[in-house]
Amino acid sequence: MEDKRIHINNEGLLSLLNQGMEIVDYGKELSRRRALFIYVLIFNHGYRHIVSNWLCNTAHFTKILCAYVSVGNYDAPVDFASYPFDAIMLFRAYLATAFAESSVKVVMIEADATWFRDPKHLFASEFSNEAVDIVAPRNGGISRGTIRAMSPMVIKPSNRTARFLKGLTRRLERLFDLSDQAVYNILCLSRYLGLRCGMFYYEDIADGVW
C-alpha cells in the first residue's frame, strides 16, 4: 500500500474543505498513472487494515494501487448524524464535486461492503454509458423516499455533474438535518439540472439487504 499522508490542519470545517484540493490533486496524479478511474473511500483509521485486506491484498483485485491519505482531527469514532459525522459527509460531497470539476473519473465507495468478485469491468461499463451521469445502487432499506443508496457511486466527470454535486454540497451546508443520501435522492427525483441518475441492477450490486 502506498502511504501518502496529508495532514490537514483543521480549524473547523471551512479549513478542512479549503485544503481538500491537495487530496484531489493527488487523485488526479493517480488517475493519470492508472489511466482508468480511481476508488475513493473515507473511513476511520481503525478500518485501514480491513480495507487493505479486502481491496488491496486480494488476488481477485488485480493491478490496484492503494494510497492512504490521512485527514487530521477527523479520525475519532463519531455517532451517526452528529456534527462530526455530518461534517465528514459534507467533506465527501466536496471531494466528489472537486473530482468532477477536475475531470477525474471516480467511484466513491464505503468500507462496509463485501465484493465477491472484481467489479472493475462493471464500473468501467457505466463510465462509457452515455445514458447516465451518476450511477448508484438501489437502497435495500428504503425509508423516507431514499430509493438510491450512496455506495458504490460511479461519478462521470462533466460540467453538468459538477454543477449537480455543487448544488448537493450547498444544500448540505444549509440543511444539517438531512443526510447526503436524502439530498441526493431529492435532487435525482426532481431531475435537478437534468442530471441522469442511474441505478445498478440489484443482481449486480445490493445495498442494505441480502
Side-chain angles (χ1 to χ4, degrees):
M1 172 179 280
E2 181 174 329
D3 193 339
K4 180 176 177 62
R5 296 178 179 270
I6 300 176
H7 291 284
I8 295 179
N9 180 20
N10 178 39
E11 297 177 354
L13 180 59
L14 182 60
S15 174
L16 183 66
L17 299 183
N18 285 340
Q19 297 183 65
M21 282 307 299
E22 188 175 356
I23 296 174
V24 174
D25 288 341
Y26 187 57
K28 290 167 64 176
E29 176 188 337
L30 288 179
S31 178
R32 286 193 297 268
R33 288 159 61 181
R34 309 309 289 177
L36 186 58
F37 60 83
I38 64 172
Y39 296 115
V40 176
L41 297 86
I42 297 177
F43 56 90
N44 185 281
H45 185 270
Y47 281 91
R48 183 182 180 189
H49 294 297
I50 294 176
V51 172
S52 298
N53 291 328
W54 155 64
L55 183 62
C56 305
N57 302 330
T58 305
H60 291 295
F61 301 96
T62 59
K63 299 181 180 179
I64 285 185
L65 169 66
C66 288
Y68 169 67
V69 177
S70 177
V71 178
N73 298 331
Y74 271 89
D75 202 36
V78 298
D79 294 325
F80 178 78
S82 64
Y83 176 80
F85 179 89
D86 290 337
I88 292 170
M89 294 301 99
L90 178 56
F91 180 56
R92 180 170 71 173
Y94 173 84
L95 286 180
T97 303
F99 277 122
E101 291 176 333
S102 300
S103 300
V104 178
K105 296 178 180 179
V106 166
V107 179
M108 304 288 286
I109 56 179
E110 297 174 354
D112 58 340
T114 301
W115 294 358
F116 295 102
R117 58 185 182 274
D118 189 348
K120 178 177 62 179
H121 298 296
L122 179 65
F123 296 149
S125 67
E126 294 299 342
F127 279 112
S128 61
N129 183 356
E130 297 182 356
V132 294
D133 298 299
I134 295 178
V135 186
R138 178 179 294 276
N139 183 16
I142 296 174
S143 62
R144 297 184 181 180
T146 54
I147 298 173
R148 296 170 174 84
M150 295 290 287
S151 172
M153 177 177 281
V154 171
I155 301 175
K156 297 171 62 176
S158 69
N159 181 56
R160 176 166 53 188
T161 300
R163 289 188 293 117
F164 176 92
L165 292 171
K166 186 171 292 185
L168 183 149
T169 302
R170 288 173 177 168
R171 284 162 175 78
L172 289 178
E173 290 171 345
R174 302 194 309 266
L175 304 171
F176 268 98
D177 58 328
L178 289 179
S179 67
D180 56 347
Q181 181 169 298
V183 175
Y184 174 68
N185 275 269
I186 291 170
L187 295 182
C188 285
L189 184 62
S190 66
R191 298 183 179 179
Y192 178 64
L193 298 177
L195 188 105
R196 299 160 300 178
C197 300
M199 280 196 291
F200 292 107
Y201 288 114
Y202 201 76
E203 293 80 5
D204 291 328
I205 298 179
D207 181 270
V209 297
W210 294 92

